[in-house]
Amino acid sequence: MFNRQIAAFAVALALLLAACTPAPKGGAATQSASGAEQPQPGGTLTFIVNAVPPSFDGHRETTFALLHPVAPFYSTLYKFDPSDLTKVIPDVAAAMPEFSADKLSATIKLRTDVKFHDGTKMTSDDIVATYQKIIFPPTGVLSPRAGAYAAVESISNPAPDSVVFKLKYPSASFATNLASPWNFIYSAAKLKTDIHWYEKNVLGTGPFTYVSYTAGQEWVGKKFPDYFAKDKSGVQLPYLDGYKALIITDANAEVNAIRSKQAAIEFRGFTPQQRDTLSSALGTSLAIQEAPWICVNYVVPNTKKPPFDDVRVRQALTLAIDRYAGSTALQKITIVKDVGGLMRPKGPFAQADADLQKIAGFGTDGAANKAKAKQLLADAGQSNLTFKFLNRNITTPYEPVALFVLDQWKQIGINATHDVKETSAYQADLRAGNFEVALDFNCDFLDEPDLQLAKFWSASGLGKGLNFAYYDDATLDKMIDGQSRETDPAKRKALVADIEKYAMDTKAYQYPVLWWYRIIPYLNTVRGWRIGSNHYTNQDLETVWLAQK
Amino acid sequence: MRRYVAGRLLLMIPTLIGVAILTFVIMRAVPGDIVALKYAGSPVPQSVIDEERHQLGLDKPMWEQFTDWMGEIARFDLGTSLWTGHSVVEEIQIRLPLSIELAIIATLLAVVIAIPLGVVAAVRQDTWADYAIRLFSIGGLAMPSFWIGLLMVLATITFFGWAPPLVFTAITEDPIANLSQMILPALSVGYRYSAVSMRMTRSTVLEVLREDYVRTARAKGVSESLVVMRHALRNALLPVITVISLEFAFLIGGLVVTEQVFNLNGIGKLLVDAVAHRDYTLIQALVLLLAAVFVLINFVVDMVYVVLDPRIRYS
Amino acid sequence: MTDLANVAVRDSDAVARRRYLESTGPRRFARFWGEFIRRRPLGTAGAALIIVMLLTAALADRIAPYDPTAFNFADLLQGPSLQHLLGTDPFGRDVFTRIVYGSRTALLVGFTASFVGCTLGLVLGVIGAYMGGRVDQLIQRLMDVLLSFPLIVIAIAVVAALGTGEGKIGNVIAAITFPIIPRVARVVRSSALSIVNMPYIEATRAVGSGAVRIMFRHIAPNVFAPYLIMLTAFLGQAILLEASLSFLGLGVFEPTPSWGLMLRGAGMQFLEQAPWLAIAPGVAISLAVFGFNLFGDSLRDALDPRLRTA
């Protein structure tokens, strides 16, 4: 009897242990989005958005928190190809724009089969009304990106299916700017009745129609049966029956949502440890896509506050930072990875490694650079440099990046304290110039020097409200303007490289720490979505489908 | 008596006015601008920001903003949220049912746990039962409730692969989904809440058990349990109810961290977001609302005291 | 007869001796604590925890094996081992060291916030009780306003106005002090009210003592018991509040070692890969608050069981 009890206990223990072994890790290989599988229509996609947008109007908002839940309701003139996110393809336009010989006029033919969700047909009037609102907003209407279209002189529509943009000068970025994900096509009729209508209402031409929005909780959209687009085999898009965007602001709750399969994906990005948690919990049910991100943090010394008006001090600050060591360590714990200059590393405008390493702060010999930094400080008479380093109170990735930088500075004898402020107060200090050195950031939807260099214009000129280093430099302004008008890509790249050397090394105005890295773990039933270089484009969910078991 | 009631009612007004003024002054004194925040990190020209500030009425002089707001309050108009443009009433309406429900469930849990345990601890004072219960209750006061909450979530998801539903459904629509969302946060909040109530129960019952009339009842030969139940408890409950009600008043807007951990779309989260956004109208309305709830509950408790304890009526 | 006389002399000697012993301050103090330790085991356990915490904070430099703020990228996220008793955090810093130094932050915040809050509350409560009338009403309204004000708004406001970060602990302390003041004032006021009407206060007033003198030489010492009890109770609560505020990103900030802060960043993000990062600070906070509460409870039982300060 005693033996039988032991045996029973052993069996029970074995079963218990077997049940408790964790699911095998891995199996979460990077997945190609549009595989050779046949898309299956149907299903509702539930995804996570971790912030709440102020209004519904894409023309005036600047946060991804609007694009993720609301972009599926709208179309734009052009967009980025979901299967090759560097290519611009027509959305409601019928073809790419035709430029006149002098490049001062662009004619765009429109599709004739586009309908708004209330059944009315889209015509060129709607395009004109939309772009008038964006480029030439009437008083009381806010359009933060109007400056990107400074080259546009006028918009007109000679026919119901074509629009003409007249430019003041040839612009290298004009065509891609039309693919901006923020330029939702609005109904001219609605805009005429109330130009603010779209701030609180939704009526678009996109693949999904608006069902409901519960503030702070969720958005619901459902398939628009009269959507104009079809896929290559002639199947009408979108594949999904509908979607739900859940608003979840806590990082752990986001992970748990995917882990318990209540949500399938989050389109912004997770940290490496969140990915690992999901990976070990879900095993082969999880897919992961990762890509470099057009987001970066800058160290910004305030040139109006001594001793940061001394270029040697600014150079010392950047030389002290061993970015390569930082990259190796920080990519394990937060969402940064690559070392790069003012343009995204490995992107179309990135310099070759060998060239980048010649710039101050980007050399590979950390110890030598630190010694040089120390020497520069001594020369400037600032061997005991003490200052406050302004930062936002956000954990990812501001905190670890700042701590890393502070530690690097400590190693050359700089006594910098971490001055953390809540975002609102941080913004106030930045805009008032009420800081010594700050950690700034920038995110863009495109590898486009006009966008990434926007912060480098003179502070009292075009850099107003953007350039927090508060310098005025006519030479730099001329260089930036020069590259903006240069239409030959190779020449343009060379001009941008010159700007990088000048702004980060010669003058050491502002310099990036590390570029961000986007990690998207998601349930592998989600197909048809491919990760791009940013979290703004490719969010209309047109090509997304769910693999049913 | 009526004068007492009327007096207490009138006293609520200066308190609320004080809260209103304090909120207004504090928020305006703190640095940070809602418009700059809306466009943080994007190339937005200063003219755009100035225009929006003008639209929101933020460029008016301080005292004018204050009198405008006071006028709105007088008309029971709580205003529009500066962040979303929707009316404040709408924003609050969406979140209020969840917060109220969580407060009620947590209170129920707390009362059900606290009162019996408190009585037992008092009746068996200085025995192991008493020590065990006191340790348990101090645990509720000592452990950070969000830590308990997080560990609970971690435990359920690791061992059962289950996480609470993320979307709030009203209890009338789907009671199971509703309760499964509420149960973990209610437990983590309720533990702390029951600790406070249990300690109060224990100390008042202890006090009452020493009173003469209890001794008389025992001398008369009444059984111990009857002594406790009928004589002691009834008189001991009054301060306990006070404590429970006052704590309840804090629950509505005070569960900020719990709501964050469990991702609940409640009033606490709304308040934190509003303050982070510097959404003045929403903050002012919320703080006033929460203060009104607190003051009202205080008033009700005072009235209950007056009704139940004749000694107070003539003070 | 001589026996009886001897007994009488011996007895009166004994009585006199006992009276002498009981009357001196330090001896009364010692006897009080002796009784406390003997009769109240839970309170003694609490006191022991507090003493351990105080010693840890005082001797942090000796006890802690590593530097709490030095990065060490080679040793990220190590589990507990012989070299690192409680493992390392995402920056390679030793968790045990940070817990030890964290006790300093906790005690600093706890003591300061509790002391300042309770003292201000004491002052306001005594003034209100003694002055009565309009002054009392005004103070009561102010306390009501403070009580009904959500802590989170105060915290964000204080922190936003004054900033956080290294060396700015004062702002967190200021934010935490606010909710303590009205609660203490209320209790002190009701305690003081019972004393204010006593005849001997009348007497001192008749003799010509000024109001301030009466308030602080006669009334305040008599409400010392609830004051002391609330001091210990709110110490624990202050530590908890700091943890909550740090968790929300409104409290102390990196790289200051603080238990609440350790729960926020590393603890919560790495909950599964590195659970020790979340468990260690949580346990530390719980033990600290536990200790203060146990001690405060038993202190109240010992000083005056009729006091209901909960």
Side-chain angles (χ1 to χ4, degrees), chain A residues 252 259 273 277 393 418 420, chain C residues 164 249 254 268-269 272-273:
Chain A
N252 274 307
R259 192 175 175 175
Q273 50 273 14
T277 308
N393 72 339
H418 195 197
V420 178
Chain C
T164 51
E254 291 282 357
M268 288 317 141
Q269 285 182 40
E272 272 180 73
Q273 279 88 353

Side-chain angles (χ1 to χ4, degrees), chain B residues 28 33 44 46 68 71 85 100 104 112 130 153 175 177 185 204 217 223-224 245 254 260 269 274 287 304:
Chain B
R28 297 289 187 302
D33 176 50
V44 171
Q46 189 62 33
D68 280 348
I100 292 185
I104 293 179
V112 157
D130 180 26
V153 169
T204 51
S223 76
E224 187 64 22
S245 330
Q260 165 142 334
K269 186 141 165 276
V287 173
V304 165

